[in-house]
Amino acid sequence: MSTLTLEDVAKRYPNGVDAVAGIDIEVADGECLVLVGPSGCGKSTLLRMIAGLETLTAGTIRVGAEDVTTAPPKDRDVAMVFQSYALYPHMTVAENLGFGLKMAKVPKAEAATRVADVARTLGLAELLERKPAALSGGQRQRVAMGRAIVREPKLFLMDEPLSNLDAKLRGAMRSELVRLHERLGVTTVYVTHDQTEAMTLGDRVAVLLDGKLQQLDTPTRLFERPANVFVAGFIGSPPMNLVRAEIAAGEISFGSHRLPVPAGRTPAEGPVILGIRPTDIALDPAGMAAPAPLGVTIDLVERLGAELQLEFPVDAPRYSPEAVAEDDGEAQLLSDDSRARFVALVRAGAAIAIGESTQVQVDLSRIHLFDPATGEARRA
């Protein structure tokens, strides 16, 4: 096992595009760091630079105490799992698992033992004589991971390894990956565009946009204390409700709506971006630290088992930051309504119907305020 240090790592292409711009990250020994962000944010490029598959324009990469910035991939002692699995179709599972050991000239007896151990760990012991064509998608992914694990590298690098699986299998494989990382304890860098996957797998999560690091923190702190409006809108499902507002005379106003400024906070008066998580809006104020009513008319009710997802317009213009999320605003395409739309998650069984006018409760202790010019969070 080993640490990974990135110092001012950058990648600029000949056309002048900065794919990665001055990234500083230190990954602790045994930590799982997830790189997440929308398409084109630089996360896969950064992973490929760690692996040695892309050259750096600037910066330093160290694995442990060793500077590997210019080292070829074979000398970095890292193992990479790709989105495409990249299995050899003419080889059996056992041969695929042991191929890297064969190339490294590991003695046959030791290689056989390591392959057998990894096969048992991943539930592949009964499949060792099969070829990839006879395996399911989940089994192929486990073989791809096993091929990395059997090498016993200093680092695991995973580039969206679950994206080709269906939703149910992806959820099951996420759980397997969590258990596997706890068991092996190998330092891991994992790339995904799926923020749910990031929050599930990462000890810490690095959120990227346009090649720049937006925030590096634990999943809990990313959710509860986003550094800026991009992180706020990207992390969380459903995403945070965002709307342009104004602070004046102790009130936060947006359109015809008014909310009191939370007790203990003294934000500067003037324009602001207000953020409210769907989980911080309820029909019943019970359990809220500082409930405040908001009059709305429900125009969509989605039943999600234990929860209801309510949607309603608010009498204020939409806030549409660039690239808050890849699917942001798609639900608006069939509507000519220019008003912002809010989402609330409430307990199933609540008596509410489409078209009903009601008061929802907003937990003022959990609202977020962002500077409209910079997008940075306001903590005051």
Side-chain angles (χ1 to χ4, degrees):
M1 295 189 291
S2 193
T3 59
L4 170 67
T5 304
L6 309 179
E7 293 181 354
D8 201 25
V9 171
K11 175 69 175 183
R12 172 171 287 185
Y13 289 112
N15 62 2
V17 173
D18 289 315
V20 175
I23 298 292
D24 290 295
I25 294 176
E26 179 141 357
V27 186
D29 189 5
E31 181 180 16
C32 180
L33 176 76
V34 178
L35 306 177
V36 67
S39 296
C41 71
K43 55 189 183 294
S44 290
T45 301
L46 184 57
L47 192 77
R48 289 172 62 82
M49 287 194 287
I50 297 169
L53 302 176
E54 291 270 3
T55 57
L56 280 67
T57 303
T60 303
I61 297 176
R62 290 199 301 272
V63 177
E66 183 181 359
D67 186 337
V68 299
T69 307
T70 59
K74 65 182 180 65
D75 295 337
R76 298 192 180 204
D77 196 12
V78 302
M80 193 161 180
V81 180
F82 297 91
Q83 177 180 349
S84 62
Y85 313 147
L87 302 179
Y88 296 106
H90 62 288
M91 293 184 183
T92 64
V93 168
E95 291 167 338
N96 267 285
L97 290 173
F99 184 75
L101 301 179
K102 182 179 179 181
M103 292 296 98
K105 295 183 169 50
V106 173
K108 287 185 178 180
E110 181 184 346
T113 299
R114 283 160 68 172
V115 166
D117 288 345
V118 167
R120 281 194 298 271
T121 297
L122 296 176
L124 298 171
E126 305 300 320
L127 307 175
L128 289 175
E129 298 308 313
R130 291 192 190 181
K131 292 185 177 179
L135 302 177
S136 68
Q139 290 167 340
R140 292 179 194 179
Q141 188 58 73
R142 277 184 278 160
V143 175
M145 287 188 291
R147 187 174 54 190
I149 294 167
V150 77
R151 290 177 50 197
E152 300 178 357
K154 292 179 180 176
L155 295 177
F156 286 149
L157 306 179
M158 299 192 179
D159 191 5
E160 305 207 46
L162 308 184
S163 61
N164 288 336
L165 306 179
D166 63 54
K168 183 176 181 180
L169 185 54
R170 191 160 60 244
M173 288 299 295
R174 275 201 300 266
S175 299
E176 286 193 28
L177 280 174
V178 170
R179 289 193 291 269
L180 189 62
H181 182 259
E182 289 178 352
R183 186 183 309 170
L184 299 174
V186 178
T187 308
T188 302
V189 181
Y190 187 104
V191 162
T192 181
H193 66 277
D194 184 334
Q195 56 93 18
T196 302
E197 201 166 282
M199 301 288 274
T200 302
L201 294 173
D203 295 314
R204 289 187 301 159
V205 177
V207 184
L208 279 72
L209 177 66
D210 296 334
K212 298 176 182 176
L213 181 63
Q214 303 296 304
Q215 188 172 353
L216 172 60
D217 219 323
T218 64
T220 298
R221 284 185 62 84
L222 282 177
F223 185 83
E224 295 184 349
R225 293 180 65 83
N228 57 44
V229 73
F230 170 75
V231 176
F234 191 83
I235 298 296
S237 182
M240 183 182 288
N241 301 301
L242 297 166
V243 67
R244 293 190 182 276
E246 189 86 15
I247 296 178
E251 287 188 325
I252 305 170
S253 61
F254 47 106
S256 61
H257 304 286
R258 301 287 185 274
L259 292 172
V261 170
R265 296 181 68 172
T266 56
E269 294 195 345
V272 71
I273 299 166
L274 170 66
I276 307 173
R277 292 278 182 203
T279 47
D280 296 326
I281 304 175
L283 295 172
D284 183 350
M288 285 189 171
L294 189 69
V296 300
T297 299
I298 306 298
D299 67 2
L300 183 63
V301 179
E302 294 188 55
R303 304 185 185 281
L304 306 176
E307 293 176 315
L308 297 180
Q309 180 170 304
L310 310 180
E311 293 189 23
F312 48 86
V314 295
D315 184 22
R318 297 176 193 161
Y319 175 71
S320 300
E322 293 183 8
V324 160
E326 292 180 7
D327 61 349
D328 183 61
E330 287 185 1
Q332 312 281 4
L333 294 179
L334 299 180
S335 172
D336 292 329
D337 193 339
S338 63
R339 294 175 296 175
R341 292 183 62 81
F342 274 22
V343 173
L345 287 179
V346 304
R347 61 177 178 79
I352 195 72
I354 292 174
E356 182 175 340
S357 294
T358 187
Q359 282 191 337
V360 296
Q361 302 291 326
V362 176
D363 191 341
L364 293 178
S365 70
R366 298 182 62 82
I367 66 170
H368 301 262
L369 301 174
F370 303 93
D371 188 299
T374 65
E376 298 300 308
R378 290 183 177 177
R379 302 300 187 194

Short mmCIF file of all heavy atoms in Angstrom, two decimals, residues 16 27 46 57 71 79 84 94 103 107 129 131 147 168 197 207 222-223 306 320 340 362:
data_model
loop_
_atom_site.label_atom_id
_atom_site.label_comp_id
_atom_site.label_asym_id
_atom_site.label_seq_id
_atom_site.Cartn_x
_atom_site.Cartn_y
_atom_site.Cartn_z
N GLY A 16 -4.83 24.48 -26.86
CA GLY A 16 -4.96 25.46 -25.79
C GLY A 16 -5.97 25.11 -24.73
O GLY A 16 -6.12 25.85 -23.74
N VAL A 27 -3.73 11.58 -1.42
CA VAL A 27 -4.57 10.43 -1.09
C VAL A 27 -3.84 9.61 -0.05
O VAL A 27 -2.69 9.19 -0.26
CB VAL A 27 -4.86 9.57 -2.35
CG1 VAL A 27 -5.86 8.46 -2.01
CG2 VAL A 27 -5.39 10.44 -3.48
N LEU A 46 -7.14 12.99 -15.64
CA LEU A 46 -6.32 12.97 -14.42
C LEU A 46 -5.96 11.55 -14.03
O LEU A 46 -4.81 11.26 -13.68
CB LEU A 46 -7.08 13.67 -13.29
CG LEU A 46 -6.34 13.83 -11.96
CD1 LEU A 46 -5.03 14.58 -12.15
CD2 LEU A 46 -7.22 14.54 -10.95
N THR A 57 1.56 18.31 -18.50
CA THR A 57 2.10 19.57 -18.96
C THR A 57 2.90 20.24 -17.85
O THR A 57 3.90 20.91 -18.10
CB THR A 57 0.96 20.52 -19.40
OG1 THR A 57 0.19 19.86 -20.41
CG2 THR A 57 1.52 21.81 -19.97
N ALA A 71 7.73 8.44 -15.19
CA ALA A 71 7.94 6.99 -15.27
C ALA A 71 6.93 6.34 -16.21
O ALA A 71 5.77 6.75 -16.26
CB ALA A 71 7.82 6.38 -13.88
N ALA A 79 -2.49 -0.69 -10.90
CA ALA A 79 -3.36 -1.57 -11.68
C ALA A 79 -4.63 -0.82 -12.01
O ALA A 79 -5.23 -0.19 -11.15
CB ALA A 79 -3.69 -2.84 -10.89
N SER A 84 -14.47 -0.75 -20.19
CA SER A 84 -14.77 -1.76 -21.20
C SER A 84 -14.38 -3.18 -20.79
O SER A 84 -14.49 -4.10 -21.60
CB SER A 84 -14.05 -1.41 -22.51
OG SER A 84 -12.64 -1.43 -22.30
N ALA A 94 -9.27 -17.96 -15.64
CA ALA A 94 -8.00 -18.18 -14.94
C ALA A 94 -6.84 -17.55 -15.70
O ALA A 94 -5.95 -16.92 -15.10
CB ALA A 94 -7.76 -19.67 -14.74
N MET A 103 3.30 -12.08 -17.34
CA MET A 103 4.17 -11.08 -17.96
C MET A 103 5.24 -10.59 -16.98
O MET A 103 6.34 -10.23 -17.40
CB MET A 103 3.34 -9.88 -18.44
CG MET A 103 2.39 -10.18 -19.59
SD MET A 103 3.26 -10.67 -21.12
CE MET A 103 3.14 -12.47 -21.04
N PRO A 107 6.66 -16.76 -10.42
CA PRO A 107 6.71 -18.23 -10.47
C PRO A 107 5.32 -18.84 -10.58
O PRO A 107 4.36 -18.35 -9.97
CB PRO A 107 7.39 -18.60 -9.15
CG PRO A 107 8.22 -17.40 -8.81
CD PRO A 107 7.46 -16.22 -9.31
N GLU A 129 -12.68 -21.85 -15.71
CA GLU A 129 -12.45 -22.44 -17.04
C GLU A 129 -13.33 -21.84 -18.12
O GLU A 129 -13.23 -22.22 -19.29
CB GLU A 129 -12.66 -23.96 -16.97
CG GLU A 129 -11.71 -24.68 -16.02
CD GLU A 129 -10.25 -24.34 -16.30
OE1 GLU A 129 -9.86 -24.37 -17.49
OE2 GLU A 129 -9.53 -24.01 -15.35
N LYS A 131 -14.74 -18.82 -20.67
CA LYS A 131 -14.21 -17.68 -21.40
C LYS A 131 -15.18 -16.50 -21.26
O LYS A 131 -16.35 -16.69 -20.91
CB LYS A 131 -13.98 -18.05 -22.86
CG LYS A 131 -12.85 -19.07 -23.03
CD LYS A 131 -12.54 -19.35 -24.48
CE LYS A 131 -11.36 -20.32 -24.58
NZ LYS A 131 -11.01 -20.65 -25.99
N ARG A 147 -8.21 -9.23 -12.07
CA ARG A 147 -6.93 -9.14 -12.78
C ARG A 147 -6.06 -8.03 -12.19
O ARG A 147 -4.83 -8.11 -12.17
CB ARG A 147 -7.20 -8.88 -14.26
CG ARG A 147 -5.95 -8.92 -15.13
CD ARG A 147 -6.30 -8.80 -16.59
NE ARG A 147 -7.11 -7.61 -16.84
CZ ARG A 147 -7.71 -7.37 -18.01
NH1 ARG A 147 -7.62 -8.24 -19.00
NH2 ARG A 147 -8.40 -6.28 -18.18
N LYS A 168 -29.73 -2.29 -11.50
CA LYS A 168 -29.79 -3.21 -10.36
C LYS A 168 -28.43 -3.84 -10.10
O LYS A 168 -27.97 -3.91 -8.95
CB LYS A 168 -30.84 -4.30 -10.61
CG LYS A 168 -31.03 -5.25 -9.44
CD LYS A 168 -32.14 -6.24 -9.72
CE LYS A 168 -32.34 -7.17 -8.52
NZ LYS A 168 -33.43 -8.16 -8.77
N GLU A 197 -22.88 7.00 -6.88
CA GLU A 197 -21.76 6.07 -6.80
C GLU A 197 -20.60 6.71 -6.03
O GLU A 197 -19.97 6.07 -5.19
CB GLU A 197 -21.32 5.72 -8.22
CG GLU A 197 -20.53 4.45 -8.36
CD GLU A 197 -20.45 4.03 -9.82
OE1 GLU A 197 -21.45 3.47 -10.32
OE2 GLU A 197 -19.41 4.28 -10.46
N VAL A 207 -14.68 16.82 -6.41
CA VAL A 207 -15.62 17.27 -7.44
C VAL A 207 -14.87 18.18 -8.41
O VAL A 207 -14.27 19.19 -7.99
CB VAL A 207 -16.82 18.01 -6.83
CG1 VAL A 207 -17.82 18.39 -7.91
CG2 VAL A 207 -17.49 17.16 -5.75
N LEU A 222 -19.67 17.26 1.73
CA LEU A 222 -20.04 17.74 0.40
C LEU A 222 -21.54 18.01 0.34
O LEU A 222 -21.98 18.99 -0.25
CB LEU A 222 -19.66 16.71 -0.66
CG LEU A 222 -18.21 16.63 -1.09
CD1 LEU A 222 -18.04 15.50 -2.10
CD2 LEU A 222 -17.72 17.94 -1.69
N PHE A 223 -22.32 17.12 0.93
CA PHE A 223 -23.77 17.25 0.91
C PHE A 223 -24.24 18.38 1.81
O PHE A 223 -25.10 19.18 1.43
CB PHE A 223 -24.42 15.93 1.35
CG PHE A 223 -25.91 15.91 1.24
CD1 PHE A 223 -26.54 15.63 0.03
CD2 PHE A 223 -26.71 16.17 2.34
CE1 PHE A 223 -27.92 15.61 -0.07
CE2 PHE A 223 -28.09 16.16 2.26
CZ PHE A 223 -28.70 15.88 1.04
N ALA A 306 -41.34 4.41 -0.13
CA ALA A 306 -41.40 5.00 1.21
C ALA A 306 -41.51 6.51 1.17
O ALA A 306 -41.73 7.14 2.21
CB ALA A 306 -40.17 4.59 2.01
N SER A 320 -30.30 28.89 -13.58
CA SER A 320 -29.74 27.82 -14.41
C SER A 320 -28.24 28.01 -14.54
O SER A 320 -27.75 28.52 -15.55
CB SER A 320 -30.38 27.83 -15.80
OG SER A 320 -31.76 27.63 -15.71
N ALA A 340 -39.18 28.98 -11.63
CA ALA A 340 -38.36 27.92 -11.05
C ALA A 340 -39.27 26.80 -10.56
O ALA A 340 -40.43 27.03 -10.19
CB ALA A 340 -37.55 28.49 -9.89
N VAL A 362 -40.22 24.73 5.20
CA VAL A 362 -38.79 24.77 4.88
C VAL A 362 -38.00 24.85 6.18
O VAL A 362 -38.31 25.67 7.04
CB VAL A 362 -38.46 25.99 3.99
CG1 VAL A 362 -36.96 26.10 3.74
CG2 VAL A 362 -39.22 25.92 2.68
#
